[in-house]
Amino acid sequence: MERGTNVRGHATRPLLDEERTENFCNRDDGSGSGSSCSDASSFTIVLVFSVAVVFCGSFTLGCALGYSSPAESGIMDDLGLSIAGYSVFSSLLTLGATLSGVTSGRTTDLIGPRGTMWLSEIFCSTGWLAIVFSKDYWWLDLGRLINGIGIGLISYTVPIYISEITPKNIRGLFASAHTLVICCGFSTTFLLGNAVSWRILALIGNAPCILHIIGVFFIPESPRWLAKTGREKELEVALQRLRGENTDISQELAEIKDYTEICQRLSEDRILDLFQWKYAHSLVIGVGLMLLQQLAGSIAIPSYAGSIFESADFSSTVGTTATAIIQIPAVVIGVLLADRSGRRPLLIVSAAGMCLSCLIIGISFLLQDLHKWNELTPIMVLTGMVAYLAWYSLGFRGLPWVIISEIYPVNIKGSAGSLVTFIVWSSSTIVVYVFNFMFEWNSAGTFFIFSVFSAATVLFTIKLVPETKGQTLEEVQASMTQFLQH
């Protein structure tokens, strides 16, 4: 029996151990130039261009998430929507994402990341145009729902594609940059929303969709998806394009093929396969991180930022502008630290900062309810909101998606992706919809609840979330299945 398998043929240790990787990195090809891992880790024009194209999807996601807050007053005035009606409109984005999230992983498995991204942008573009030309709330809501269907596919496929085409030493950088672009889309929508009408704002949101639809035809397919579908010739061509024509890809190519073959022998990609004991650790991490992200108010708070500032007797225009600006440098810091400090420390610090920020906002509204120090409420709410979105952007905005894209092996990636995407958007739908009602019931209590879930995220990360920086996807995924066997 070969070392590394048990009697059932299951992997019992990481497929790619350190010794094998070290030997490859120090190998000399006989030409005097050597062959090193750094050769395969260099930036290439094709790699950078491919990532830039898919960042159009990231920007689209940010525009969609940031749209409801600056458009709120204009839509309610022009179409006569009530608070309940606008809550429905806001939550339809996440409802649409929930519907597509159920099949996002399987769709990606079926037609590939490139095809899924193209399909998602068709939905997004159609949704934006429906909002632009809407004359009543039916067309408005339909456009938001269709937009959400596209967003659900984008939110899963873009980080997956980025993680599968980038070398291990810069994977965290590019995957975190995905968060930066989302933040740029979000902040751009917030800032422009103060200057243009809600229809023009929707038209601007449609621009990156068009660029993505065109650009996706000029980028290579994911090498790991090609390996899974048995397209070995296309796999080699795609990997060579991504790594550079003069780069030796033989070792990486062999690792991708070997690990894909082993994973596909273990089990078929069915939803029930996720609930095997060997996948329990990765499943708990994926579901737990995404659920906690939404229960901490990550989408609900920015979606109703304008209303929160107005309730604190602070200018919504100034408040939303401040929160839009502060997020970008915070994300930049997170991008720079992702492959240096690691994923876990950033998650812990980010969630702890969100916890303290929610406490500040909750205390400010509590003082307002008690009619004490009312003059402090506006500045405390501004401070808490800016701090919350800054800490959130530092790590918790994008790192859960980075980790999700890394931890699931190819034989369950489709089903796991569908489940996790469904969890994140279904929980977001509920939180976004009930936020207005909770806020009217008890504004201070709402933020205290968000603070509790942020604190729970810190404990969850410390206890369960592994560090994945500096490892290939194959190393990460193999080690995850071993966690419960030691």
Side-chain angles (χ1 to χ4, degrees):
M1 182 180 299
E2 294 182 359
R3 186 169 64 99
T5 59
N6 61 15
V7 292
R8 296 185 181 183
H10 291 175
T12 58
R13 64 178 179 88
L15 176 66
L16 307 173
D17 55 33
E18 294 181 1
E19 180 182 357
R20 179 178 176 183
T21 303
E22 182 178 358
N23 289 339
F24 166 62
C25 291
N26 294 328
R27 186 186 65 181
D28 192 290
D29 60 7
S31 64
S33 59
S35 176
S36 68
C37 287
S38 62
D39 292 334
S41 302
S42 59
F43 292 87
T44 63
I45 293 176
V46 174
L47 177 63
V48 173
F49 176 76
S50 300
V51 173
V53 168
V54 300
F55 278 169
C56 292
S58 309
F59 198 87
T60 298
L61 176 56
C63 290
L65 293 175
Y67 182 76
S68 61
S69 181
E72 181 176 3
S73 59
I75 290 177
M76 292 180 68
D77 292 340
D78 291 351
L79 300 183
L81 293 185
S82 63
I83 291 178
Y86 197 78
S87 294
V88 171
F89 170 75
S90 296
S91 61
L92 280 174
L93 179 78
T94 51
L95 177 61
T98 301
L99 297 176
S100 62
V102 175
T103 60
S104 59
R106 302 310 296 268
T107 302
T108 304
D109 281 350
L110 181 63
I111 63 177
R114 282 202 318 166
T116 305
M117 287 187 287
W118 183 86
L119 179 64
S120 68
E121 292 292 18
I122 294 294
F123 278 113
C124 287
S125 183
T126 303
W128 282 123
L129 292 176
I131 292 174
V132 169
F133 296 107
S134 61
K135 300 298 182 182
D136 54 44
Y137 70 91
W138 284 107
W139 279 105
L140 184 77
D141 289 350
L142 179 62
R144 187 70 165 170
L145 180 66
I146 295 174
N147 202 332
I149 292 173
I151 292 304
L153 295 173
I154 287 176
S155 64
Y156 171 75
T157 310
V158 168
I160 288 293
Y161 179 80
I162 292 173
S163 70
E164 291 186 349
I165 68 170
T166 50
K168 64 180 182 180
N169 68 315
I170 56 173
R171 189 176 66 241
L173 174 66
F174 276 124
S176 298
H178 161 65
T179 307
L180 173 60
V181 180
I182 292 176
C183 186
C184 289
F186 184 93
S187 297
T188 299
T189 305
F190 260 47
L191 293 173
L192 293 180
N194 294 323
V196 301
S197 70
W198 58 273
R199 295 185 191 274
I200 298 298
L201 193 61
L203 195 61
I204 293 172
N206 189 46
C209 302
I210 303 301
L211 293 176
H212 198 184
I213 289 172
I214 297 172
V216 77
F217 291 102
F218 300 95
I219 62 177
E221 185 55 272
S222 162
R224 287 170 173 83
W225 182 77
L226 292 172
K228 183 178 181 179
T229 54
R231 306 180 187 185
E232 295 192 3
K233 183 61 178 178
E234 295 176 54
L235 161 63
E236 185 174 351
V237 171
L239 190 60
Q240 192 72 69
R241 287 181 63 194
L242 289 165
R243 299 295 178 260
E245 294 300 324
N246 298 322
T247 302
D248 180 8
I249 62 169
S250 58
Q251 180 74 12
E252 185 177 8
L253 186 65
E255 290 171 354
I256 292 174
K257 288 181 179 180
D258 291 347
Y259 191 76
T260 300
E261 182 182 349
I262 289 175
C263 287
Q264 289 186 311
R265 285 205 307 263
L266 296 183
S267 59
E268 297 179 359
D269 188 6
R270 298 173 300 178
I271 194 68
L272 293 179
D273 290 327
L274 295 176
F275 301 100
Q276 299 179 51
W277 180 247
K278 61 184 174 181
Y279 301 130
H281 186 209
S282 57
L283 187 63
V284 168
I285 290 173
V287 173
L289 280 177
M290 291 307 187
L291 191 60
L292 288 168
Q293 184 190 56
Q294 300 310 310
L295 293 177
S298 61
I299 291 183
I301 291 176
S303 294
Y304 295 104
S307 298
I308 294 171
F309 284 120
E310 290 174 359
S311 298
D313 297 322
F314 191 85
S315 169
S316 61
T317 300
V318 175
T320 54
T321 301
T323 55
I325 293 174
I326 193 64
Q327 293 180 69
I328 296 178
V331 175
V332 170
I333 295 173
V335 169
L336 296 176
L337 292 178
D339 275 326
R340 296 184 181 182
S341 65
R343 282 60 152 166
R344 290 182 78 249
L346 275 182
L347 273 178
I348 293 169
V349 172
S350 176
M354 291 165 60
C355 175
L356 294 176
S357 301
C358 285
L359 282 175
I360 292 173
I361 300 172
I363 291 171
S364 67
F365 280 119
L366 180 62
L367 293 175
Q368 185 185 61
D369 293 340
L370 297 175
H371 304 289
K372 294 182 178 180
W373 298 334
N374 287 342
E375 65 277 5
L376 293 179
T377 298
I379 192 64
M380 287 181 67
V381 169
L382 175 64
T383 302
M385 287 287 288
V386 169
Y388 176 89
L389 290 172
W391 286 115
Y392 171 58
S393 300
L394 180 68
F396 204 29
R397 179 191 289 272
L399 284 179
W401 287 106
V402 173
I403 294 172
I404 295 308
S405 69
E406 295 173 330
I407 63 176
Y408 295 116
V410 292
N411 62 308
I412 63 165
K413 182 168 284 189
S415 297
S418 295
L419 176 63
V420 170
T421 307
F422 171 77
I423 290 293
V424 65
W425 291 115
S426 59
S427 59
S428 178
T429 300
I430 296 171
V431 176
V432 169
Y433 180 75
V434 304
F435 177 85
N436 262 338
F437 304 104
M438 289 178 60
F439 193 67
E440 288 188 354
W441 162 69
N442 191 319
S443 53
T446 300
F447 282 93
F448 288 145
I449 291 173
F450 289 152
S451 181
V452 169
F453 283 112
S454 297
T457 303
V458 174
L459 299 177
F460 181 86
T461 303
I462 292 173
K463 185 66 176 177
L464 292 175
V465 178
E467 182 55 71
T468 61
K469 75 166 184 172
Q471 302 179 61
T472 66
L473 293 182
E474 288 73 28
E475 289 171 332
V476 172
Q477 293 157 11
S479 64
M480 290 294 298
T481 61
Q482 299 307 303
F483 179 83
L484 297 173
Q485 297 183 19
H486 294 300

